[in-house]
Amino acid sequence: MKKILTIVFAAAALTACDIERLPYGSMAAEQITNDPSASLDALMNGVYAQLKTWSDPMHRCGEYAGDNMMIRGSSTDAFYEFISFSRTPNNYRLQSFWDYGYKGIAQASNIINMIKEGQSAEIDNQLGECYYVRGMLYFYFVRAYGRPYYQAPDKNLGVPIVNGTPDNIMTDLFLEDRATVQETYEQVINDLKKAESLMTINKGPAYASKGAAQAMLSRVYLYMSGTYEKPNQEYARLAVEYADEVIKSGDYDLLGREDFMKYNTLKPENNDESIFVVKRVASEFSGYDHYYGIGGMYANIGGMGWGEMFASAKYIDLLNETGRNDWRPDHYKIVDARAAFIEPTYKEGNQLVFRFIKEESETVSNYAQFEATRSGSTVTCKDAEGATYTLSPVNEEEEVYSINYNGKTYQGMLDYFISLNRVYPQFYITKCSREGEDSHLHSPIISRLGEIYLNRAEAYAKLGQYDKALSDLNLIRERSIPGAGYASLDANNAGDRIDKERQLELAYQAERSYDVFRNGKSLKRQYPGPHRQDEEILAADYRVTYYIPQNAINAYPGTLTQNPTDNSGVILN
């Protein structure tokens, strides 16, 4: 009996097995092809199940390498390499990202190769879902393991294209080396366009749909659209075209400000803004699973979670740019709606402090929380040695002051004492927690409507259509900060303003580090934390890409070329 084989690039080797369908068993090919409608639901569950495991390292690769968060100290966990940019090929989290992604690609491909189109709208829709999953996974791979598209895409390497299990897996299996970045993007686009053409049924954001394919195409073409200084206008035009399709479909709506501030608590099926998410359910995510989920590193909620990573000072400053967000329970005032996803851990007793960031040395800064006292209109504070300082008002209404400390002037604010983890105040992040109000339950967001407007804004700017870009940009900005829209947008400020809004809006969705480098910008993390605060990581740096996992190279039946190990191997043009 003919078997359908699954290929997995894992540490052990490439082995033959029946279709692997977590959490289901195996089926013979004849069983599936004789009655595809009876089998496809189970097979599709297996495809989506792979995404659940894949989405965890996917998030860590994308978010930890950015500047929205900080960690309390160095860690022996493999994810610390993402934060520190100390790239190595022996990283088990990168291995999981690779293994489960290729497992999903293999399962989706085997279904595509096995089931004929045109049998029914339902079967075609499920085939479209497979094409979407495959295209989406290749895209997430190429942006992690491949250079930014504007850097010689015809020369730099992407990832291997393996669309299903080769017939010769038991005999003379040989696979080609990595395709180029350009070839990998072509595969992504072909899959997503095929998905778009096949899907006619929208089953909600937990499943791929025509809108999900169009949303991903808008992002893919945006990644191909060059930098603000040297845009590729054809790809920018296509990014606009696909964003238009999503926005004009009427299938999705931006949440109002108040509902958006509760975005993380909404179940995907009750969220009109969600286009596609990796759906998690409470029954598969309980007990100590909450510690090890994405949100478990960002907060401790109800006694669950490590709570070792906090919102960065840079991100908090962006949130406060148009006015102070006051998280104190008896002063609670959110200026930027996105600040609702930040929860400082105030110590009981409401001890008044003056908090600011001070220089420890030329290359290291850290928080200071000095006990503060009011006497009429005068505010003073004391450092750990008991020295007293009189604060100068900057904005008394928002309780923003400056201090002259050790010969330097710093600006900070009056607040209550925030509990420390090691030496850092805990600015917990809850954007990846509390779905259905269940501790750290979270369905990772792949696409939502807010991103699509920002995609279109950036693409319009690269086309020189700044009025249209401004309209889309302000729609998202004013949803979070009413009345704070930009008055104008032009070639001089568009890049900074759009990128800033993407950072604010898409934080903790695994987008930030890729957004920085694909536009040719550098990553600067001059804020408290154990990372190298003086380091500037350029878009041309070899560490912009992750290494191919060494176990994958060892197990690969053929040549699998590693990424450059220093800047001399980077190809820029």
Side-chain angles (χ1 to χ4, degrees):
M1 181 182 294
K2 180 181 178 183
K3 298 291 184 180
I4 303 301
L5 305 175
T6 297
I7 190 167
V8 180
F9 299 98
L14 296 172
T15 59
C17 60
D18 293 331
I19 280 186
E20 189 168 351
R21 295 174 295 103
L22 298 176
Y24 301 91
S26 60
M27 297 184 194
E30 289 86 345
Q31 178 184 351
I32 297 168
T33 55
N34 289 340
D35 190 2
S37 61
S39 307
L40 266 178
D41 285 348
L43 291 173
M44 291 304 303
N45 284 344
V47 173
Y48 285 114
Q50 301 298 343
L51 298 184
K52 296 180 182 183
T53 306
W54 163 86
S55 63
D56 181 280
M58 175 276 289
H59 176 94
R60 299 179 199 270
C61 289
E63 196 62 49
Y64 293 3
D67 52 5
N68 295 324
M69 49 72 67
M70 58 155 289
I71 189 171
R72 67 171 189 168
S74 60
S75 173
T76 58
D77 193 293
F79 65 57
Y80 191 69
E81 292 181 4
F82 307 158
I83 300 169
S84 65
F85 279 79
S86 55
R87 302 292 189 238
T88 69
N90 297 307
N91 184 302
Y92 80 89
R93 291 191 183 273
L94 276 181
Q95 186 73 49
S96 294
F97 179 54
W98 180 276
D99 287 349
Y100 284 98
Y102 267 110
K103 195 178 288 188
I105 286 171
Q107 291 185 238
S109 296
N110 285 336
I111 295 171
I112 290 168
N113 295 338
M114 180 172 49
I115 305 296
K116 292 182 179 179
E117 295 176 27
Q119 299 183 64
S120 70
E122 290 76 13
I123 290 175
D124 280 356
N125 200 83
Q126 288 173 308
L127 286 172
E129 292 174 59
C130 288
Y131 278 106
Y132 170 84
V133 169
R134 189 170 76 182
M136 183 268 290
L137 287 171
Y138 275 132
F139 173 66
Y140 274 74
F141 275 158
V142 74
R143 73 177 190 170
Y145 296 113
R147 302 294 306 177
Y149 195 84
Y150 78 92
Q151 296 175 1
D154 58 331
K155 299 175 185 176
N156 285 308
L157 295 181
V159 294
I161 305 298
V162 186
N163 293 335
T165 307
D167 292 334
N168 60 342
I169 191 171
M170 298 299 291
T171 56
D172 58 342
L173 176 62
F174 176 82
L175 297 178
E176 298 292 333
D177 198 357
R178 296 162 65 187
T180 65
V181 168
Q182 181 175 306
E183 290 167 338
T184 309
Y185 269 82
E186 288 170 356
Q187 173 70 43
V188 170
I189 290 168
N190 289 338
D191 278 347
L192 293 175
K193 286 184 175 180
K194 183 68 172 179
E196 179 192 20
S197 71
L198 286 171
M199 289 188 284
T200 58
I201 303 168
N202 189 338
K203 297 182 287 186
Y207 300 89
S209 63
K210 182 185 292 290
Q214 292 166 339
M216 191 57 61
L217 280 164
S218 80
R219 192 195 304 175
V220 169
Y221 281 120
L222 193 70
Y223 270 61
M224 299 170 71
S225 68
T227 66
Y228 289 100
E229 293 76 21
K230 294 183 178 180
N232 182 308
Q233 295 201 339
E234 175 59 18
Y235 293 138
R237 183 188 65 78
L238 287 166
V240 168
E241 180 180 309
Y242 280 100
D244 280 343
E245 292 292 334
V246 177
I247 292 167
K248 293 177 181 178
S249 71
D251 292 334
Y252 315 99
D253 291 302
L254 288 178
L255 297 177
R257 186 176 193 271
E258 295 302 316
D259 286 335
F260 177 65
M261 291 166 68
K262 298 179 289 186
Y263 192 104
N264 58 315
T265 69
L266 301 176
K267 294 183 178 180
E269 57 270 24
N270 299 328
N271 191 327
D272 291 338
E273 190 166 329
S274 293
I275 299 172
F276 181 65
V277 305
V278 178
K279 173 67 175 174
R280 304 300 304 268
V281 295
S283 62
E284 65 188 19
F285 202 74
S286 58
Y288 272 82
D289 290 338
H290 288 287
Y291 274 88
Y292 296 97
I294 293 169
M297 286 304 299
Y298 291 144
N300 181 295
I301 298 174
M304 290 289 183
W306 305 107
E308 294 180 1
M309 293 180 178
F310 319 125
S312 70
K314 181 176 183 177
Y315 189 69
I316 292 169
D317 284 347
L318 286 179
L319 290 172
N320 288 331
E321 193 174 67
T322 54
R324 177 186 177 179
N325 296 280
D326 196 335
W327 290 287
R328 290 175 291 181
D330 55 347
H331 290 70
Y332 195 75
K333 179 184 178 183
I334 297 298
V335 175
D336 188 322
R338 293 155 302 202
F341 305 124
I342 308 300
E343 295 184 9
T345 58
Y346 289 112
K347 188 176 181 180
E348 291 184 8
N350 295 345
Q351 178 186 342
L352 190 67
V353 297
F354 177 63
R355 186 172 54 256
F356 64 101
I357 294 173
K358 60 183 175 67
E359 293 181 5
E360 300 278 7
S361 68
E362 290 184 1
T363 59
V364 177
S365 63
N366 200 0
Y367 287 97
Q369 293 191 112
F370 291 171
E371 182 178 351
T373 304
R374 297 180 190 273
S375 178
S377 60
T378 301
V379 181
T380 59
C381 64
K382 289 183 179 181
D383 65 14
E385 286 72 40
T388 300
Y389 302 85
T390 299
L391 304 180
S392 300
V394 176
N395 184 329
E396 288 186 90
E397 182 180 356
E398 295 186 350
E399 297 186 302
V400 177
Y401 292 82
S402 67
I403 185 175
N404 188 284
Y405 179 73
N406 285 347
K408 295 187 177 181
T409 300
Y410 301 101
Q411 185 171 299
M413 61 183 65
L414 293 181
D415 202 353
Y416 296 151
F417 185 87
I418 297 175
S419 300
L420 302 178
N421 197 323
R422 296 190 179 170
V423 296
Y424 304 111
Q426 298 180 139
F427 286 92
Y428 279 171
I429 302 158
T430 60
K431 197 174 184 181
C432 301
S433 304
R434 290 210 174 105
E435 184 177 311
E437 300 294 349
D438 188 358
S439 189
H440 293 299
L441 181 62
H442 171 62
S443 295
I445 299 165
I446 302 299
S447 295
R448 63 179 174 88
L449 191 58
E451 179 213 341
I452 308 308
Y453 278 104
L454 292 172
N455 290 353
R456 195 169 70 173
E458 181 178 332
Y460 274 142
K462 289 176 176 176
L463 290 168
Q465 299 179 31
Y466 296 110
D467 287 346
K468 291 181 178 179
L470 180 64
S471 178
D472 282 343
L473 185 64
N474 278 344
L475 183 66
I476 298 303
R477 182 170 176 78
E478 296 203 45
R479 190 254 298 263
S480 286
I481 321 172
Y486 297 111
S488 64
L489 205 66
D490 56 42
N492 294 320
N493 60 30
D496 289 341
R497 289 181 174 179
I498 292 170
D499 287 357
K500 178 173 67 176
E501 211 59 35
R502 286 186 73 90
Q503 180 172 9
L504 282 164
E505 184 73 12
L506 304 180
Y508 317 114
Q509 291 180 214
E511 299 295 323
R512 174 60 180 165
S513 60
Y514 304 117
D515 271 351
V516 171
F517 298 130
R518 69 176 175 81
N519 270 319
K521 298 189 176 183
S522 61
L523 186 72
K524 301 175 185 177
R525 298 183 291 179
Q526 297 169 329
Y527 52 80
H531 57 276
R532 284 186 54 188
Q533 298 174 28
D534 61 328
E535 185 176 35
E536 179 178 359
I537 301 165
L538 304 177
D541 195 296
Y542 77 98
R543 294 171 298 169
V544 163
T545 58
Y546 289 106
Y547 284 134
I548 304 297
Q550 188 61 46
N551 284 343
I553 292 176
N554 295 343
Y556 197 74
T559 298
L560 186 57
T561 301
Q562 184 57 277
N563 276 325
T565 58
D566 57 49
N567 286 338
S568 67
V570 175
I571 303 172
L572 298 178
N573 50 55

